[in-house]
Amino acid sequence: MEVEVLCFFPFLRKSSDYIKEIGVSLDDLIYSAAFERARDRGCERVISAIKTGEVSSHHVLAKDVDMEILSYPFARILVSCIGDTHLARRYARAEAKTAYKILSASIADETLLHALAEDLGVTVLCGGTSHTSCDGVVGAAKLDFGVRMYRIHFTDYLRLASELRGSKWRLVNRMLHEGFVMVSGNDLLQLFHEAFYDRVRENLPIEVPGDICDAVRKYTDEIRQVLSVNTREDRSIACDGISQSAFPPCISYLLKRLMGGEEISHSARFALTSFLLNIGMRTEDIIRLYEKAPDFDAEKTRYQIEHIAGSRGTKYTAPSCRTMRTYGICVRENDELCEKVAHPLGYYALAKEKEKSEKRRNM
Amino acid sequence: MNYDTVRFLRRMFASYYKRAGLSMPRDFWMREWGFIPFGVKMMSRHRAFRSAAEIRSFLRENAPAHVFFSSAIYERPSAANMADKGWRGADLIFDLDADHIIDADHIIRGEISYDKMLERVKVETAKLMDFLVADFGIDERDIEIVFSGARGYHVHVCRDDVRALRNKERREIVDYLSASGLDSEFRSVDPGIGSEAWRHGGGWRRRIFRGLMDFFREIKRMDRDDAVKALCRIDGVGVKSAMKVVEFMAKMDDDAIEEWVARCMLDNRLRWIPGVHCRLIQDHAVSLRSMKPDAPVTSDIHRLIRMPTSLHGKTGLIVKPLSVKELDDFEPLEDAVAFSSDRTVRVKALKRNAVRMKGHEYAVEDGEEAELPVCAAVYFMCRGVAEICDAARGVG
């Protein structure tokens, strides 16, 4: 693979081989003035991942190719020194998404596809059947990439599709023959997206010696600051008349996990959404909360929230404490208000009342 | 089971372990081992062995009733805590047990004989083999079929590329085998996979196609009344519509039927044979070809599995490895019997029971004392329906 191409997929084994080849050591990368641009770009990768969810792929000049490749291991060091798994996940998602976009744009390139597959340890064969050949030529016509057929080994398919939603990704709905699953070009792209994510996420955060983390403090401080600004924005629910400090512990906990980009169960989503709707939060604002969820789909989320809000006739009330316990999402820990109520909404009303009277007293 | 019986069985099992050629699983030193001794209900787990000789001498000396090892391989197999073991991968193992395949009530009420029961399990095992070879592309040489020693078969797939599969991914395989979650209209499948691809492409679409073809050919071959009866056995099909289907089929030859079924499936639309929902027949085809939903309990990546070539403590039969070819002719009560039918021993029956072993019928009545060949005596004692008399005499 050309180095100009490698720099768009810096997480490949071939990329780290390349770094070894050009003889840049870890010390060089951390301390040498010659690699300051690689360090700056590495820091930019992480910050851009936090802010935009991508690592801002820009046009890389030929002379900058090495710096671009080197910026990736440096970014990993930064993420690891911060040591926050939410950040690691967020960063990996951004790298995967960026590489996915680049691959989608240069998709006609079968050689690239197979080189990627080999590097990622995925067995891909071209042509679904004898009808199609590798370059997608059927008779005299050349097929668009999206409808070209590929075959991927079932063990690779299961590994990569395991996080993908929707019945079309279920193995049972796939054509499986002699160990290979048939996929279209578009499907294959999505599977590569997953493979990119897995590769970036691999071993992240890595263990980094303390002196290296000290040496890169300038960068990690900057990232921490961006992180705190962005997370604070996320964590506050700006809404008139809603007091987040009066939320019961169970709801606060679910919210925190959701904001952290964690996946929460269906029953947890229902509990959270119905609670927020019940206390008067608007659908738009609730959708925004779910944006951080790993499998966010705006349309689906809107539909589900509207459904709970009563678009189909039934307006749902948040589950009671007892039901929350059954769901296994009650987190009561010696909370004295919890002792007094049997419903998260009761807790909220009581806590809000208390807040108000305290405010009055302080005036 | 009284103490004399325990001692007798232990001696018999030890004698088996002295003479038998035991087969060791691949990477046995990285597996967790578990044993249940005679007369005890608790399993002693988390054991590990460094050499095959160590395992052999352990079995000879302790002669446990049941011997298991983990389907998984671990870095530290003897760690007492699962989290500390360091999971490195697990074989893909399917457990086809009569309990899952046949309605349990039939078994409990004794409405189905042991032979019949095993016959049914064998059919399911053959189905599984077809899935593994044709769909999953697994070489027969990488598949080991093992008679469980009681009421089923275990199918071991020993290949490096399946070892890394996680729970969730194994669940997908189970769902594939049982057609669970199957979108039988294939609405969700990428339209790119149109045209004729599915006829050669495998998967459930091809299975359904073959199933429908077999079904209609069969219907055509039958005389009118039988055909109507066969159709009526499908849920939701009445006599009137069944008759319409038979008429419809009568007008077509095999090629025409094939074309018609292919067109039906290609459209991804529900077509009506005048009167009958094609979907019903399709569902029927699926149910014939799929495996029982709970049959293969494969997704637990920490489970323990019975050691092939060991003895099953509830029957005294050998947990016998078989090649794919051997499966067809395998008769558990002939071929998996570990003990002699020449020498005899005296037992006292606690309950009425019978077994057909090595071509002979052996039966005991409640409270009866009987002189039985060792193989049958061991079987009854293991089942808990007899105790040894005259322990001192031992095997005559």
Side-chain angles (χ1 to χ4, degrees):
Chain A
M1 215 183 290
E2 305 283 316
V3 62
E4 288 76 16
V5 180
L6 270 190
C7 75
F8 292 115
F9 306 99
F11 43 77
L12 295 181
R13 305 255 184 267
K14 283 201 184 74
S15 305
S16 47
D17 290 349
Y18 176 76
I19 294 174
K20 272 183 216 129
E21 230 169 79
I22 59 173
V24 181
S25 71
L26 179 61
D27 274 0
D28 294 338
L29 181 59
I30 304 292
Y31 300 105
S32 164
F35 298 105
E36 189 168 3
R37 269 189 302 139
R39 293 196 289 274
D40 288 344
R41 170 71 180 129
C43 184
E44 188 190 283
R45 288 189 105 92
V46 183
I47 289 177
S48 156
I50 299 168
K51 284 186 175 164
T52 68
E54 287 179 46
V55 293
S56 68
S57 66
H58 46 62
H59 183 66
V60 183
L61 297 171
K63 66 181 173 62
D64 288 334
V65 163
D66 287 0
M67 294 301 159
E68 182 72 10
I69 296 179
L70 284 164
S71 72
Y72 172 74
F74 190 72
R76 276 176 78 86
I77 291 172
L78 296 178
V79 171
S80 302
C81 284
I82 294 170
D84 176 350
T85 47
H86 291 324
L87 174 63
R89 224 176 283 150
R90 212 155 152 182
Y91 171 68
R93 266 204 299 277
E95 285 283 359
K97 189 171 174 190
T98 310
Y100 167 76
K101 278 193 170 172
I102 289 163
L103 180 61
S104 316
S106 51
I107 199 60
D109 188 351
E110 290 282 343
T111 339
L112 172 63
L113 213 60
H114 289 283
L116 285 174
E118 193 197 329
D119 196 287
L120 294 162
V122 179
T123 310
V124 178
L125 305 178
C126 31
T129 62
S130 51
H131 298 260
T132 47
S133 66
C134 219
D135 51 5
V137 176
V138 180
K142 193 167 166 89
L143 289 173
D144 278 347
F145 174 77
V147 295
R148 272 185 223 166
M149 296 307 304
Y150 293 88
R151 279 170 297 158
I152 174 167
H153 195 260
F154 81 91
T155 50
D156 296 325
Y157 179 85
L158 288 177
R159 177 163 55 89
L160 297 176
S162 74
E163 297 300 322
L164 294 171
R165 303 293 165 92
S167 80
K168 85 163 196 172
W169 292 108
R170 306 284 319 278
L171 186 64
V172 70
N173 291 322
R174 286 282 163 175
M175 281 183 237
L176 174 63
H177 188 51
E178 290 175 346
F180 285 85
V181 178
M182 217 187 278
V183 294
S184 68
N186 283 332
D187 290 345
L188 188 65
L189 269 179
Q190 289 235 40
L191 294 170
F192 268 117
H193 184 218
E194 297 298 302
F196 296 158
Y197 175 83
D198 290 348
R199 173 61 66 81
V200 179
R201 191 74 178 77
E202 204 172 80
N203 304 325
L204 201 68
I206 43 175
E207 259 178 63
V208 182
D211 56 328
I212 290 182
C213 285
D214 288 340
V216 301
R217 179 121 325 176
K218 179 178 109 187
Y219 298 104
T220 47
D221 283 349
E222 190 184 342
I223 293 167
R224 279 212 175 85
Q225 209 186 347
V226 174
L227 200 56
S228 76
V229 170
N230 279 270
T231 325
R232 214 180 305 141
E233 271 172 16
D234 289 342
R235 283 194 183 146
S236 66
I237 296 180
C239 231
D240 294 343
I242 289 177
S243 158
Q244 202 183 336
S245 52
F247 282 7
C250 49
I251 299 294
S252 300
Y253 180 61
L254 290 180
L255 201 55
K256 196 175 120 206
R257 284 171 54 201
L258 184 67
M259 299 286 103
E262 233 179 281
E263 210 173 314
I264 62 175
S265 70
H266 182 75
S267 46
R269 280 167 197 234
F270 173 74
L272 181 60
T273 308
S274 54
F275 178 88
L276 295 173
L277 284 167
N278 291 159
I279 63 170
M281 203 160 154
R282 286 189 308 265
T283 306
E284 290 315 311
D285 297 322
I286 300 176
I287 292 177
R288 281 225 309 276
L289 298 178
Y290 278 96
E291 272 171 9
K292 291 283 167 310
D295 57 343
F296 176 69
D297 175 335
E299 271 322 293
K300 238 191 220 159
T301 309
R302 173 185 301 279
Y303 173 82
Q304 281 159 352
I305 296 173
E306 282 171 356
H307 183 86
I308 296 170
S311 65
R312 289 297 170 94
T314 320
K315 190 167 182 274
Y316 290 90
T317 307
S320 66
C321 292
R322 172 188 285 211
T323 313
M324 296 288 279
R325 274 196 291 277
T326 311
Y327 287 168
I329 47 180
C330 166
V331 295
R332 170 162 62 174
E333 292 162 348
N334 302 324
D335 190 301
E336 54 164 304
L337 271 185
C338 277
E339 302 293 333
K340 291 184 188 157
V341 298
H343 202 289
L345 287 169
Y347 183 106
Y348 180 70
L350 219 60
K352 222 175 152 192
E353 221 25 69
K354 215 170 143 195
E355 268 181 14
K356 253 192 219 156
S357 62
E358 264 165 14
K359 236 183 235 165
R360 268 198 297 271
R361 219 177 305 137
N362 291 340
M363 272 198 300
Chain B
M1 198 179 278
N2 68 30
Y3 185 62
D4 284 341
T5 304
V6 167
R7 265 186 34 190
F8 175 77
L9 287 177
R10 234 193 259 151
R11 212 164 70 226
M12 292 312 295
F13 273 42
S15 77
Y16 168 81
Y17 287 119
K18 270 188 197 104
R19 67 181 146 87
L22 300 176
S23 75
M24 294 296 149
R26 224 158 54 117
D27 307 326
F28 62 85
W29 59 92
M30 295 170 91
R31 296 180 194 263
E32 175 196 352
W33 292 72
F35 306 94
I36 304 178
F38 277 108
V40 177
K41 288 226 165 72
M42 275 274 289
M43 190 192 309
S44 104
R45 294 189 60 165
H46 309 302
R47 305 204 46 137
F49 296 93
R50 266 161 302 181
S51 71
E54 231 181 291
I55 298 172
R56 288 201 185 89
S57 73
F58 180 91
L59 293 178
R60 277 198 292 269
E61 280 158 32
N62 297 279
H66 306 275
V67 185
F68 305 94
F69 57 72
S70 62
S71 64
I73 49 169
Y74 301 104
E75 269 163 48
R76 291 169 294 278
S78 58
N81 191 315
M82 279 301 166
D84 295 335
K85 283 188 191 292
W87 189 84
R88 292 275 299 275
D91 294 335
L92 186 60
I93 297 180
F94 300 89
D95 184 352
L96 295 119
D97 194 280
D99 291 352
H100 295 124
I101 292 161
I102 302 161
D103 191 355
D105 288 347
H106 288 292
I107 300 176
I108 293 163
R109 277 190 256 117
E111 286 168 5
I112 178 163
S113 71
Y114 186 70
D115 297 13
K116 282 255 169 56
M117 199 159 72
L118 281 169
E119 210 43 52
R120 285 281 303 279
V121 183
K122 220 189 230 182
V123 170
E124 289 295 305
T125 309
K127 251 191 221 173
L128 174 63
M129 293 304 298
D130 181 48
F131 274 112
L132 291 179
V133 174
D135 293 20
F136 288 90
I138 292 166
D139 198 303
E140 279 189 10
R141 280 169 302 189
D142 293 329
I143 301 173
E144 188 180 49
I145 303 174
V146 182
F147 168 61
S148 75
R151 312 210 276 206
Y153 294 89
H154 300 155
V155 176
H156 298 231
V157 177
C158 309
R159 251 170 51 155
D160 288 335
D161 58 2
V162 300
R163 272 196 172 177
L165 293 173
R166 292 165 298 178
N167 256 340
K168 206 170 164 189
E169 296 151 14
R170 287 167 200 247
R171 191 76 231 163
E172 280 289 295
I173 296 178
V174 175
D175 286 348
Y176 184 90
L177 301 175
S178 56
S180 132
L182 177 68
D183 174 358
S184 47
E185 291 169 59
F186 299 97
R187 275 166 310 205
S188 56
V189 173
D190 200 301
I193 311 180
S195 74
E196 293 284 282
W198 55 267
R199 268 208 229 190
H200 320 282
W204 268 103
R205 247 207 267 212
R206 195 174 64 133
R207 279 182 183 272
I208 291 173
F209 178 66
R210 287 197 332 221
L212 286 173
M213 286 308 304
D214 290 352
F215 181 77
F216 286 128
R217 285 204 191 104
E218 189 65 34
I219 291 287
K220 251 184 92 71
R221 253 198 306 277
M222 292 178 188
D223 66 44
R224 204 189 149 84
D225 286 353
D226 289 345
V228 170
K229 256 186 227 154
L231 280 159
C232 286
R233 270 199 289 274
I234 300 172
D235 269 348
V237 178
V239 178
K240 239 185 181 168
S241 15
M243 269 155 61
K244 280 187 188 157
V245 176
V246 174
E247 273 163 32
F248 182 73
M249 289 293 145
K251 286 186 220 132
M252 296 196 284
D253 60 14
D254 274 6
D255 288 348
I257 293 177
E258 183 164 339
E259 274 320 299
W260 177 76
V261 172
R263 233 177 38 236
C264 263
M265 295 190 63
L266 200 60
D267 287 359
N268 275 348
R269 247 185 287 127
L270 299 181
R271 255 178 208 249
W272 293 69
I273 310 173
V276 174
H277 228 278
C278 185
R279 178 69 179 281
L280 291 174
I281 298 174
Q282 184 168 314
D283 288 349
H284 182 67
V286 170
S287 74
L288 286 180
R289 281 170 180 261
S290 62
M291 311 216 31
K292 297 280 175 186
D294 296 327
V297 191
T298 61
S299 51
D300 182 357
I301 51 174
H302 290 294
R303 69 190 306 249
L304 297 178
I305 192 92
R306 223 170 253 288
M307 176 192 183
T309 65
S310 68
L311 294 179
H312 192 301
K314 284 215 165 121
T315 58
L317 295 173
I318 302 171
V319 180
K320 192 151 175 127
L322 305 163
S323 71
V324 177
K325 282 198 189 73
E326 284 170 318
L327 175 68
D328 242 5
D329 300 323
F330 178 69
E331 298 282 349
L333 292 172
E334 291 286 330
D335 306 327
V337 177
F339 299 106
S340 152
S341 52
D342 303 334
R343 290 189 290 175
T344 61
V345 67
R346 231 179 144 65
V347 298
K348 183 179 167 67
L350 307 171
K351 270 184 215 145
R352 180 194 173 141
N353 209 296
V355 66
R356 192 178 165 74
M357 212 175 235
K358 293 246 173 194
H360 294 280
E361 194 79 39
Y362 301 106
V364 284
E365 291 298 326
D366 195 349
E368 180 196 9
E369 267 194 34
E371 186 91 14
L372 288 174
V374 175
C375 58
V378 168
Y379 175 83
F380 287 134
M381 281 185 262
C382 284
R383 300 294 315 264
V385 298
E387 304 274 17
I388 189 94
C389 303
D390 189 14
R393 220 188 88 213
V395 181

